[in-house]
Amino acid sequence: FYISGQRGKRMEVADSEYAAQIKKVATMERDTTAQALSAAVFYKNTLEEYKITEFLFQNSQDMAKVVQGRAEKGLAAGIDADIANAEVSKTSRLLNSAIRKRDGAKGNLTVMMGVNYDLPLSIIDNIPDIQLNTKNTQELISTALKQRTEVDAGVIDVRTAQKRIELLKRESIPNLTVSAYLQRDGFNENVMGARASIPLRVWRDNSGEIVESEARKEQAMTTLEVNQHTIKYEVIRAVTNFNSLREETKNYPEELMKKVDEDLLSIKKALGTGQMNIRDALVAQNSLVSLKLSYIQSLSDYDLAKIELIRSVGFPLMQYIVK
């Protein structure tokens, strides 16, 4: 008989440990979902970079052929042909780098999603806009401290450590043992009896285990405090990045980005008709391509900032991100 309530305390410790594990699994699930969504955004970004780099490489090849033909006819200097061929070599290296980056991003995404790497893969959805008031950072921090399962897990760990200390103290109280027996003795007589005992602990009082559990409780409290500070910093960083990148994407006029491809084709035509030399054409081409790559990178970073903002605040990612 557990006269000091030890059985109930053991059940409380087991329930607390189970509840903490549930919260930790939820944390891992949220972080894994965020990583998978980020991997999809990154892969989509590498596809766009590959398309631009491939276009740049093909355009450089066409320009080199035009300049080489003009040089052979004496309409252009030989150094212009060398410059054009050097640009082809440089863009070829950029194209190979873009291919490696694309394939690596696909490998990471397929591993995250558990699908076959050799199958064709494309991202058809975009990260939607997030309707959150990011001007009140303190309110988002308070929401995160309520929503994030790491906080709940930390609180439960502290509570579990305290319950374990209480259990160790109660275990020093002896439990009543009652037994009964029925037997046949040496004289062929039936004997029936009962016995009650209370075992006493003389040398062992769980003092060492209690001190160890108190230290674990202090460690759990420290971990909880560190997690709270980390969550606050993550929210502040996510909010600042989100606001900054949202403003950054506004620096790329939609009309200008639509004309970039047309301008690149115009440069090639102007070079072919002799209205532009190879050096000016390469400068203009590289400037436009750099603009387009910067635009794609800014959009990608903005999408990643959306994911991180929702994750850091603790809202369900599949509800806010996936429509």
Side-chain angles (χ1 to χ4, degrees):
F1 295 92
Y2 297 94
I3 61 178
S4 60
Q6 296 175 21
R7 181 180 178 85
K9 189 59 65 176
R10 286 195 181 98
M11 293 180 64
E12 290 179 3
V13 171
D15 291 340
S16 294
E17 290 178 345
Y18 177 75
Q21 291 300 322
I22 292 296
K23 296 295 183 180
K24 292 175 183 178
V25 169
T27 300
M28 184 179 299
E29 180 181 359
R30 189 191 69 246
D31 291 344
T32 303
T33 302
Q35 292 175 7
L37 290 172
S38 298
V41 170
F42 183 69
Y43 175 64
K44 185 177 181 181
N45 178 51
T46 59
L47 289 177
E48 296 296 330
E49 289 185 1
Y50 168 74
K51 292 178 182 178
I52 296 175
T53 310
E54 184 183 31
F55 173 81
L56 178 63
F57 175 68
Q58 294 176 351
N59 208 35
S60 298
Q61 282 185 319
D62 295 339
M63 293 169 65
K65 292 178 181 178
V66 172
V67 175
Q68 185 68 35
R70 292 172 61 86
E72 292 175 356
K73 295 178 181 179
L75 300 177
I79 191 173
D80 289 344
D82 295 337
I83 292 174
N85 291 326
E87 183 68 17
V88 172
S89 300
K90 186 181 74 173
T91 55
S92 175
R93 180 180 180 277
L94 294 176
L95 179 60
N96 289 327
S97 178
I99 292 174
R100 291 194 299 271
K101 188 176 180 180
R102 179 201 62 188
D103 294 344
K106 181 182 178 182
N108 180 42
L109 180 58
T110 53
V111 170
M112 292 290 297
M113 302 302 296
V115 298
N116 190 349
Y117 173 80
D118 296 327
L119 295 176
L121 183 65
S122 61
I123 309 299
I124 60 176
D125 295 326
N126 296 319
I127 303 296
D129 292 332
I130 298 176
Q131 303 301 326
L132 284 181
N133 181 16
T134 55
K135 295 182 179 180
N136 193 342
T137 306
Q138 190 58 44
E139 182 179 352
L140 292 177
I141 291 175
S142 300
T143 302
L145 293 176
K146 296 177 182 178
Q147 296 280 351
R148 294 280 289 267
T149 50
E150 298 96 315
V151 178
D152 294 336
V155 172
I156 295 174
D157 284 338
V158 174
R159 189 183 305 138
T160 302
Q162 179 60 38
K163 292 181 182 297
R164 193 173 288 111
I165 293 173
E166 296 173 0
L167 174 60
L168 289 171
K169 291 180 178 179
R170 293 190 181 189
E171 284 182 348
S172 61
I173 301 175
N175 293 317
L176 176 64
T177 302
V178 178
S179 59
Y181 60 90
L182 178 64
Q183 66 180 21
R184 185 181 297 276
D185 64 5
F187 299 97
N188 204 25
E189 294 289 340
N190 293 328
V191 179
M192 181 176 62
R195 178 174 58 194
S197 63
I198 299 181
L200 298 177
R201 291 191 177 188
V202 180
W203 302 107
R204 183 173 178 81
D205 59 356
N206 289 341
S207 58
E209 289 85 347
I210 292 175
V211 172
E212 181 181 2
S213 296
E214 289 177 347
R216 290 181 177 177
K217 178 183 176 181
E218 293 293 331
Q219 183 180 7
M221 294 174 64
T222 302
T223 302
L224 174 60
E225 186 174 356
V226 170
N227 286 338
Q228 289 176 337
H229 290 172
T230 302
I231 289 172
K232 293 178 182 178
Y233 173 69
E234 288 180 351
V235 173
I236 293 173
R237 183 181 60 184
V239 170
T240 54
N241 289 343
F242 176 81
N243 291 334
S244 175
L245 288 167
R246 181 171 56 184
E247 294 300 322
E248 181 179 315
T249 55
K250 296 179 182 179
N251 295 328
Y252 300 94
E254 186 176 353
E255 296 79 8
L256 175 61
M257 301 313 302
K258 290 181 179 179
K259 291 180 59 180
V260 169
D261 293 336
E262 298 177 2
D263 292 339
L264 289 172
L265 294 176
S266 298
I267 292 172
K268 185 169 66 173
K269 293 179 180 179
L271 180 66
T273 58
Q275 298 177 355
M276 182 179 291
N277 60 51
I278 183 61
R279 301 178 189 181
D280 294 338
L282 291 178
V283 170
Q285 175 181 266
N286 292 336
S287 178
L288 292 174
V289 170
S290 297
L291 173 63
K292 195 168 184 178
L293 288 174
S294 297
Y295 173 66
I296 292 174
Q297 187 63 51
S298 295
L299 290 181
S300 177
D301 291 342
Y302 183 42
D303 287 340
L304 293 175
K306 296 176 186 177
I307 297 172
E308 177 59 20
L309 178 61
I310 297 301
R311 187 204 69 83
S312 63
V313 178
F315 288 129
L317 282 162
M318 302 304 292
Q319 177 180 345
Y320 279 79
I321 299 299
V322 180
K323 298 298 183 179

